[in-house]
């Protein structure tokens, strides 16, 4: 079987080495690139299945490199996981809004890293349900056609805005939504949502879902995600 | 009024009185007794004249003086008004008038005093102060505010604030303040002079509790903001620098735990990596502590009279193995003695960092020249290498903590990026400074300027 190829773009040699070691053990083919400048041409040549991208790189920095990848039709659809040691979340938020699939803060657990890599790989093969498809995740069932949500077969009354937010997040479980992305999702509904009021809506959804509310997880300083 | 009329018509009144008297006496006593009448007339006339004089003096004059006094109150003066009113008037009236005048005088000088005090207070305030009325017309702008917005004297009198200060942030703020009638706080930026102000506004009320305007107090927080930014950057840099080795340590430890110790060779290799990163961690922490210690004690580090030459020779001797490995020659162009007032340990650390850099970044069969000169009453000690040099664009930032030209290269050489920051602060603590001359491809010279030691200097 052809091994899936992963690119690790990381300037710290020892970190790159241990990532490679572990991902290889998991059966992936791993290529390490130490600088942003070198990365672009090699990615185009070798078309990896996934890119692990450190945001602090010498030369072209991670975020710039990421933008270039997303602008290029050839590389646009390669999933990217950002890896970062930065204290500030702004870069992560920017990255997610530009379409990064996930991010891992340093220092990370190796197991966590592997799990994220596998999850992103898997998600690429499972198709996102369409706007109208019914969704069942654990105890939550969403019927978009009827605009109804059931928790353990109990009908839950959500406002139009809350429904839109929950539905959008449940369609892509495990994926981090930034506040701005949630604002975008809720656009055109009954209430005007701003990046500040997002939190209020989330609190309300959680409360209405009861015990199932735990599925909406806060990602500190970044946004929220719906757990699988 | 009446008394003035009296004074003006005194002659006519006098004559009339005499005439009336004459005829009065004539009718009473009859023509035959004209001698008696004449005598009586004379006597009465004399008495009346004396009374008249007394009357004028005693009754009218005090009023005149009163008026004078009251008029004099319009101008500030130090005249003692009480001397003007004298015994003639009823003592009670006189006393209360005197009190009144005293009070008025006191109030007047009080007001003048308070106005001057307020003026002095406002103009010596570091904070800017602007007061406008409900319509937005300027009531007052103090000196600090005038300077902030470069308003020239008195330009603001009776004008709208919008005309005087052209700053949209401020205008919006005042507008909001005037409509909301509450206390507000905000930050505004004067882009022309690149300043950030903290502005605090509150309504102004008169004694009846009616709002008649608003007052703004402006604080220049440019420096604070800058310091805050530096601090934030520093914290973010430190955490980044610490996270990098920790990520490695964690990754390798977890991996060893996972796969066990079957592959002995690999396990040892991994353990070595872990060791390397723990060493780096402690090096960073050590350097940071050193830096903060030097910075904190910059003024009171212990200094003694010392010779720099043995320290330098000693260091070079110590570095000999590394120098030999890279085949670097060290050339000394120094006198036998170079006395200065300094802290041996700290200076040694600074020299070490410079030599360490010269070896690390400018190695490979070249040489290092250590040279000293006396220039403008200063010791100039230079460390010259013939390596790749440092591009001009880095010169300004090279002494910053964690600043490195090539992060990966410096890290692989075990650098923390704190070496030059330490050099800078050690030399600053010695009242000196560090400069840098470099040309790409030719080499780099770091120069340390230290005050020359004269024996009668106080030891600290
Ligand atoms: N003599 C030199 N020639 C060329 N580059 C230099 C020289 N000295 C310093 N530099 C550059 O300046 C950077 C900062 O130097 P500094 O000594 O502050 O940190 P470091 O050497 O990386 O780490 P440390 O000294 O803490 O181990 C270095 O990373 C290097 O890029
Ligand atoms: Mg150094």
């Amino acid at each position: 079987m052809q091994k899936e190829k992963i690119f690790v773009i990381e300037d710290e040699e020892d970190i790159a080495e241990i990532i490679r070691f572990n991902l290889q053990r998991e059966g992936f083919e791993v290529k390490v690139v130490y600088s942003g400048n070198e990365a672009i041409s090699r990615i185009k040549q070798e078309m990896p299945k996934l890119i692990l991208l450190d945001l602090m790189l010498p030369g072209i920095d991670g975020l710039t490199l990421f933008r270039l990848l997303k602008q290029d039709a050839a590389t646009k659809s390669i999933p990217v996981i950002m890896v970062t040691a930065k204290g500030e979340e702004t870069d992560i938020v920017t990255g997610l809004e530009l379409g990064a699939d996930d991010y891992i803060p340093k220092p990370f657990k190796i197991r966590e890293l592997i799990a994220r890599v596998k999850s992103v790989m898997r998600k690429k093969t499972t198709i996102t349900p369409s706007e109208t498809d019914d969704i069942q995740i654990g105890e939550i069932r969403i019927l978009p056609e009827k605009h109804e949500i059931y928790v353990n077969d109990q009908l839950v009354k959500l406002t139009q805005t809350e429904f839109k937010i929950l539905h959008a997040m449940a369609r892509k479980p495990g994926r981090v939504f930034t506040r701005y992305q949630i604002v975008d999702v809720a656009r055109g509904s009954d209430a005007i949502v701003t990046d500040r009021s997002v939190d209020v809506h989330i609190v309300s959804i959680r409360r209405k879902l009861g015990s199932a509310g735990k599925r909406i997880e806060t990602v500190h300083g970044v946004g929220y995600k719906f757990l699988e | 009024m009446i008394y003035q009329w009296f004074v003006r018509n005194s002659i006519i009144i006098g004559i009339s009185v005499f005439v009336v008297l004459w005829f009065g006496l004539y009718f009473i006593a009859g023509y035959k007794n004209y001698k008696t009448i004449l005598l009586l007339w004379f006597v009465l006339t004399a008495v009346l004249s004396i009374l008249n004089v007394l009357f004028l003096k005693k009754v009218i004059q005090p009023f005149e003086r009163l008026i004078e006094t009251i008029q004099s109150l319009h101008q500030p003066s130090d005249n003692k008004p009480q001397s003007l009113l004298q015994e003639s008037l009823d003592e009670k009236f006189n006393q209360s008038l005197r009190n009144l005048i005293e009070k008025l005088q006191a109030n007047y000088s009080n007001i003048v005093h308070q106005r001057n005090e307020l003026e002095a207070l406002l103009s010596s305030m570091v904070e800017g102060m602007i007061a406008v009325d409900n319509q937005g017309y300027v009531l007052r702008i103090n000196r600090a505010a005038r300077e902030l917005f470069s308003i020239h004297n008195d330009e603001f009198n009776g004008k709208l604030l919008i005309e005087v200060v052209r700053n949209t942030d401020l205008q919006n703020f005042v507008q909001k303040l005037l409509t909301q009638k509450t206390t507000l706080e905000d930050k505004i930026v004067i882009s022309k002079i690149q300043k950030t102000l903290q502005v605090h506004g509150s309504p102004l009320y008169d004694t009846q509790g009616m709002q008649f305007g608003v007052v703004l107090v402006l604080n220049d927080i440019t420096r604070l903001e800058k310091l805050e930014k530096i601090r934030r950057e520093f914290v973010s840099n430190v955490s980044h620098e610490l996270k990098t080795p920790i990520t490695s340590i964690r990754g390798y430890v977890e991996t060893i735990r996972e796969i066990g110790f079957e592959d002995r060779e690999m396990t040892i290799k991994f353990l070595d990596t872990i060791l390397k990163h723990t060493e780096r961690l402690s090096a960073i922490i050590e350097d940071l502590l050193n830096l903060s210690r030097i910075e904190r004690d910059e003024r009171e580090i212990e200094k003694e009279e010392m010779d720099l030459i043995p320290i330098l020779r000693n260091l070079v001797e110590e570095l000999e193995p590394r120098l030999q490995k890279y085949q670097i020659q060290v050339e000394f162009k120094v006198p036998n003695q170079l006395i200065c007032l300094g802290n041996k340990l700290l200076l040694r650390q600074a020299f070490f960092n410079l030599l360490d850099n010269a070896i690390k970044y400018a190695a490979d069969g070249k040489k290092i020249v250590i040279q000293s000169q006396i220039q403008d009453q200063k010791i100039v000690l230079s460390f010259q290498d013939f390596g790749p040099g440092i591009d001009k664009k880095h010169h300004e930032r090279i002494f910053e903590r964690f600043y490195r030209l090539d992060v990966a290269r410096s890290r692989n050489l075990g650098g923390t990026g704190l070496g030059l920051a330490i050099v800078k602060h050690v030399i600053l603590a010695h009242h000196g400074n560090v400069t840098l001359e470099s040309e790409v491809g030719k080499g780099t010279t770091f120069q340390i300027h230290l005050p020359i030691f004269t024996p009668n200097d106080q030891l600290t």
Side-chain angles (χ1 to χ4, degrees):
Chain A
M1 193 190 109
Q2 172 82 37
K3 281 182 179 173
E4 288 174 304
K5 195 187 286 173
I6 297 175
F7 258 55
V8 176
I9 308 174
E10 164 69 68
D11 65 321
E12 183 72 10
E13 271 176 47
D14 290 330
I15 295 177
E17 185 49 40
I18 200 68
I19 293 176
R20 181 201 353 236
F21 181 88
N22 280 283
L23 288 179
Q24 266 171 0
R25 266 171 43 92
E26 295 294 327
F28 297 105
E29 182 187 344
V30 182
K31 290 270 162 81
V32 173
V33 186
Y34 296 112
S35 81
N37 306 44
E38 196 189 340
I40 300 232
S41 55
R42 287 201 45 198
I43 289 169
K44 277 195 179 170
Q45 253 170 38
E46 305 193 30
M47 290 305 285
K49 285 278 177 329
L50 178 83
I51 298 171
L52 275 178
L53 175 64
D54 183 15
L55 289 187
M56 276 268 252
L57 290 173
I60 303 180
D61 74 285
L63 217 51
T64 312
L65 174 64
F66 182 69
R67 280 205 184 91
L68 291 175
L69 290 176
K70 286 292 158 188
Q71 276 161 17
D72 196 317
T75 53
K76 196 163 90 187
S77 53
I78 304 174
V80 174
I81 299 179
M82 300 181 291
V83 182
T84 169
K86 269 215 177 157
E88 305 214 1
E89 278 91 7
T90 50
D91 278 3
I92 299 166
V93 172
T94 314
L96 287 173
E97 270 155 18
L98 287 172
D101 292 78
D102 204 349
Y103 81 95
I104 302 170
K106 283 182 185 173
F108 47 78
K109 285 199 186 95
I110 288 288
R111 282 185 153 278
E112 173 95 14
L113 181 94
I114 295 167
R116 298 281 182 94
V117 167
K118 284 183 173 168
S119 154
V120 171
M121 290 285 219
R122 199 172 52 240
K123 238 169 273 160
K124 233 196 58 173
T125 50
T126 58
I127 330 133
T128 309
S130 82
E131 292 268 0
T132 51
D133 285 346
D134 292 355
I135 301 170
Q136 173 86 50
I137 298 174
E139 60 274 60
I140 300 176
R141 188 162 76 246
I142 303 175
L143 311 174
E145 297 275 65
K146 294 192 197 161
H147 244 265
E148 279 173 0
I149 290 188
Y150 292 88
V151 174
N152 294 326
D153 297 326
Q154 290 280 313
L155 183 65
V156 176
K157 275 212 168 305
L158 293 186
T159 66
Q160 197 193 349
T161 310
E162 288 163 357
F163 184 88
K164 274 194 169 180
I165 294 173
L166 184 64
H167 182 214
M169 288 177 70
R171 278 177 66 212
K172 292 174 181 168
R175 176 168 188 141
V176 182
F177 281 71
T178 67
R179 287 190 173 69
Y180 186 75
Q181 284 172 326
I182 294 175
V183 171
D184 232 22
V185 161
R187 195 153 283 162
S189 60
D190 49 356
I192 294 167
V193 182
T194 63
D195 43 349
R196 285 186 202 199
S197 69
V198 163
D199 300 332
V200 181
H201 288 283
I202 295 286
V203 167
S204 167
I205 297 172
R206 272 190 190 138
R207 204 187 49 234
K208 288 179 180 174
L209 292 182
S211 62
K214 281 198 296 288
R215 283 204 179 264
I216 301 178
E217 194 182 69
T218 307
V219 185
H220 189 75
V222 180
Y224 297 94
K225 71 175 171 189
F226 192 93
L227 298 180
E228 290 161 84
Chain B
M1 278 290 117
I2 298 170
Y3 95 97
Q4 273 177 348
W5 180 83
F6 259 104
V7 173
R8 238 177 272 130
N9 303 304
S10 53
I11 297 170
I12 300 169
I13 294 167
I15 293 171
S16 327
V17 169
F18 300 145
V19 172
V20 169
L21 267 176
W22 179 262
F23 282 104
L25 290 170
Y26 181 82
F27 275 116
I28 297 162
Y31 178 70
K32 284 167 218 158
N33 298 327
Y34 82 96
K35 269 186 189 161
T36 339
I37 293 169
L38 207 61
L39 191 73
L40 266 171
W41 186 76
F42 264 117
V43 172
L44 276 172
T45 305
V47 170
L48 275 175
S49 298
I50 290 164
L51 277 176
N52 189 24
V53 169
L54 285 178
F55 174 78
L56 275 179
K57 204 172 178 160
K58 292 235 168 177
V59 178
I60 296 171
Q61 217 169 1
F63 279 106
E64 239 173 352
R65 285 189 171 164
L66 181 62
I67 296 226
E68 250 171 60
T69 312
I70 289 170
Q71 272 169 347
S72 77
L73 286 177
H74 290 290
Q75 292 111 29
S77 73
D78 293 328
N79 288 350
K80 296 275 177 299
Q82 49 271 51
S83 67
L84 290 171
L85 272 179
Q86 275 153 351
E87 34 343 294
S88 59
L89 282 173
D90 170 40
E91 196 45 42
K92 234 177 178 173
F93 173 68
N94 201 355
Q95 186 57 43
S96 43
L97 203 59
R98 198 178 292 156
N99 287 348
L100 183 71
I101 289 169
E102 258 170 40
K103 204 172 245 163
L104 276 174
Q105 196 83 29
N107 279 352
Y108 186 80
S109 59
N110 235 346
I111 289 170
V112 171
H113 181 74
Q114 277 176 1
R115 199 192 55 201
N116 291 345
E117 210 173 62
L118 184 68
E119 204 63 49
L121 204 73
L122 288 178
S123 65
S124 60
M125 261 168 72
V126 188
E127 294 86 4
M129 195 279 313
I130 297 175
V132 298
D133 68 12
N134 285 336
Q135 277 68 49
Y137 284 97
V138 175
L139 296 172
R140 234 176 229 279
I141 299 183
N142 78 344
R143 193 183 43 78
R146 286 204 293 268
E147 271 164 20
L148 278 174
F149 294 105
S150 40
I151 304 166
H152 303 299
N153 268 348
D154 294 338
E155 243 173 46
F156 52 86
N157 270 339
K159 284 193 183 164
L160 282 167
L161 183 65
I162 309 177
E163 297 176 80
V164 182
V165 180
R166 299 194 188 281
N167 183 304
T168 21
D169 281 358
L170 188 79
Q171 278 157 32
N172 294 340
F173 183 80
V174 172
Q175 211 48 50
K176 218 163 115 192
L177 200 60
L178 283 171
T179 47
Q180 296 192 352
K181 300 178 190 294
T182 49
T183 307
L184 288 176
E185 220 178 270
D186 207 352
K187 267 184 207 168
I188 64 172
V189 177
I190 311 177
S191 40
K192 207 162 58 182
I193 48 173
Q194 301 220 322
K195 285 204 168 186
T196 314
L197 306 179
Q198 164 107 16
V199 46
H200 187 104
S202 33
L204 286 170
Y205 297 107
D206 62 17
T207 43
Q208 269 84 52
M210 293 282 288
Q211 185 181 348
F212 68 94
V214 291
V215 61
L216 312 180
V217 176
L218 309 149
N219 264 310
D220 185 352
I221 52 166
T222 317
R223 221 178 74 89
L224 269 179
E225 293 258 298
K226 214 157 124 195
L227 285 178
E228 177 57 22
K229 189 169 159 255
I230 291 172
R231 196 194 60 82
R232 258 205 315 272
E233 266 176 16
F234 175 68
V235 170
S236 139
N237 274 338
V238 172
S239 72
H240 182 260
E241 291 303 318
L242 295 179
K243 274 176 185 171
T244 308
I246 289 175
T247 306
S248 282
I249 293 170
R250 188 173 191 169
Y252 284 87
V253 169
E254 280 176 2
T255 308
I256 292 174
R257 270 201 65 157
E258 195 85 350
I259 61 169
F261 303 90
E262 292 128 44
D263 189 338
R264 202 184 133 76
E265 206 176 308
M266 196 183 63
T267 309
I268 287 177
K269 206 182 104 201
F270 282 8
L271 286 174
D272 282 345
T273 310
I274 294 167
L275 197 63
K276 185 174 96 191
H277 286 286
T278 51
E279 272 159 10
R280 229 186 92 199
L281 262 185
S282 49
I284 294 174
I285 291 165
E286 196 54 45
D287 278 355
L288 277 174
L289 281 177
N290 272 336
L291 249 180
S292 84
R293 219 172 286 143
I294 300 164
E295 252 186 328
R296 195 190 53 213
D297 304 334
E298 214 150 80
R299 257 157 248 294
E300 56 231 54
I301 57 160
E302 273 175 44
K303 290 183 214 123
E304 56 183 332
E305 189 181 339
M306 57 176 277
D307 188 355
L308 296 174
I309 304 302
I311 293 184
L312 287 166
R313 293 206 186 269
N314 221 307
L315 262 176
V316 172
E317 219 167 90
E318 231 169 77
L319 289 166
E320 200 51 49
R322 275 173 72 195
L323 290 166
Q324 252 167 33
K325 181 173 160 202
Y326 296 110
Q327 301 198 329
I328 304 171
Q329 296 290 323
V330 177
E331 210 174 295
F332 278 101
K333 290 184 180 169
V334 293
N336 290 334
Q337 242 192 1
L338 201 54
I339 307 291
C340 86
L341 199 60
N343 180 302
K344 265 189 203 161
L345 263 170
L346 291 180
L347 286 177
R348 193 192 143 85
Q349 166 93 60
F351 300 157
F352 172 84
N353 286 355
L354 290 177
L355 287 171
D356 176 60
N357 282 349
I359 298 170
K360 274 201 301 206
Y361 305 109
D364 303 331
K366 305 249 177 66
K367 64 175 177 179
I368 297 171
V369 181
I370 301 176
Q371 191 173 359
S372 90
Q373 283 168 320
I374 305 290
Q375 253 176 28
D376 304 330
Q377 291 296 302
K378 292 223 160 172
I379 296 172
V380 182
L381 189 61
S382 58
F383 297 79
Q384 183 178 14
D385 69 51
F386 299 87
I390 299 169
D391 196 301
K392 269 263 181 314
K393 68 179 177 200
H394 299 294
H395 287 201
E396 208 182 308
R397 303 197 61 190
I398 194 108
F399 293 101
E400 281 175 25
R401 285 150 212 221
F402 301 119
Y403 191 84
R404 283 161 291 191
L405 310 196
D406 181 342
V407 179
R409 185 172 144 75
S410 155
R411 258 194 221 141
N412 290 336
L413 294 168
T416 64
L418 292 168
L420 287 175
I422 291 176
V423 172
K424 177 181 147 188
H425 283 283
V426 166
I427 302 306
L428 278 180
H430 284 81
H431 310 291
N433 64 309
V434 193
T435 56
L436 152 68
E437 270 168 37
S438 183
E439 202 175 318
V440 176
K442 295 224 169 125
T444 307
T445 309
F446 283 96
Q447 292 181 315
I448 290 177
H449 306 250
L450 286 170
I452 210 164
F453 177 70
T454 38
N456 48 6
D457 272 1
Q458 283 283 308
L459 294 187
T460 40

